[in-house]
Amino acid sequence: MKYEIIRKLIEENLDKVEFGEFGKGVSDEWVKKAEIRLNMSLPKSYIWWLKNYSGGEINGEEIFSIYEIDFDEVVGGDIVYINELNRRNGISNTKQLVIQENDQGESYYFDLSHLDNNGEYPIFSDMDKKKYADNFLDFIEKKIKQ
């Protein structure tokens, strides 16, 4: 994966990107708790982002992360909270893991039915049902370059 390329791209675009301080991200314990609660393994590139940046926004649009608050009490952009809520309300299903929603009513999600050999899921837009990115790092890159 192209982790260093993405890290450099983030550092060069701090006018568009508001992530946590690099290296001070989500703990392994909370990543595991989220995977258990969601009943899935999160993609490796998304875990890298969580563990290094914790969470944040690109161009003012939050990418859902793990807030490290009990999942039964958390609200906001916690990935477990959002996905449990969306599934309950029929907005998404168990083959989708929503990672971002915007003000135009568009959401982006990991397509959980297509795991590649690197442990990555493609990301689709729910507006046109087309693939937006091959993996999470490509998603970040495209969002920054928009």
Side-chain angles (χ1 to χ4, degrees), residues 108-124:
Y108 296 89
Y109 61 89
F110 290 119
D111 179 350
L112 304 180
S113 63
H114 292 94
L115 181 65
D116 73 15
N117 293 336
N118 296 315
E120 298 291 331
Y121 298 104
I123 296 171
F124 281 72

Side-chain angles (χ1 to χ4, degrees), residues 28-120:
D28 289 333
E29 175 187 3
W30 277 97
V31 169
K32 192 67 175 159
K33 285 181 182 183
E35 289 179 324
I36 290 168
R37 182 75 174 245
L38 293 166
N39 194 31
M40 63 168 292
S41 294
L42 295 168
K44 293 175 183 177
S45 60
Y46 180 69
I47 292 172
W48 172 84
W49 177 76
L50 288 170
K51 291 174 70 171
N52 285 292
Y53 292 101
S54 186
E57 302 176 349
I58 299 175
N59 294 315
E61 295 177 350
E62 182 177 11
I63 299 172
F64 302 140
S65 60
I66 299 171
Y67 283 12
E68 295 187 302
I69 299 172
D70 185 294
F71 297 128
D72 293 321
E73 297 176 16
V74 71
V75 294
D78 180 273
I79 196 159
V80 173
Y81 169 77
I82 289 292
N83 280 279
E84 287 181 347
L85 181 66
N86 284 352
R87 289 170 184 172
R88 238 185 343 265
N89 292 331
I91 296 169
S92 64
N93 61 53
T94 58
K95 296 289 184 195
Q96 301 168 325
L97 187 70
V98 176
I99 59 169
Q100 187 180 59
E101 296 171 341
N102 64 33
D103 293 341
Q104 294 80 39
E106 184 175 27
S107 66
Y108 296 89
Y109 61 89
F110 290 119
D111 179 350
L112 304 180
S113 63
H114 292 94
L115 181 65
D116 73 15
N117 293 336
N118 296 315
E120 298 291 331

Side-chain angles (χ1 to χ4, degrees), residues 117-135:
N117 293 336
N118 296 315
E120 298 291 331
Y121 298 104
I123 296 171
F124 281 72
S125 164
D126 75 334
M127 287 289 234
D128 57 14
K129 306 293 187 233
K130 291 184 180 176
K131 183 165 67 170
Y132 180 80
D134 290 329
N135 57 56

Side-chain angles (χ1 to χ4, degrees), residues 6-25:
I6 295 300
R7 181 178 177 185
K8 185 175 181 200
L9 182 66
I10 290 166
E11 289 172 2
E12 292 171 349
N13 289 278
L14 296 178
D15 58 323
K16 296 178 179 182
V17 179
E18 292 183 44
F19 290 167
E21 183 180 341
F22 185 81
K24 297 192 176 188

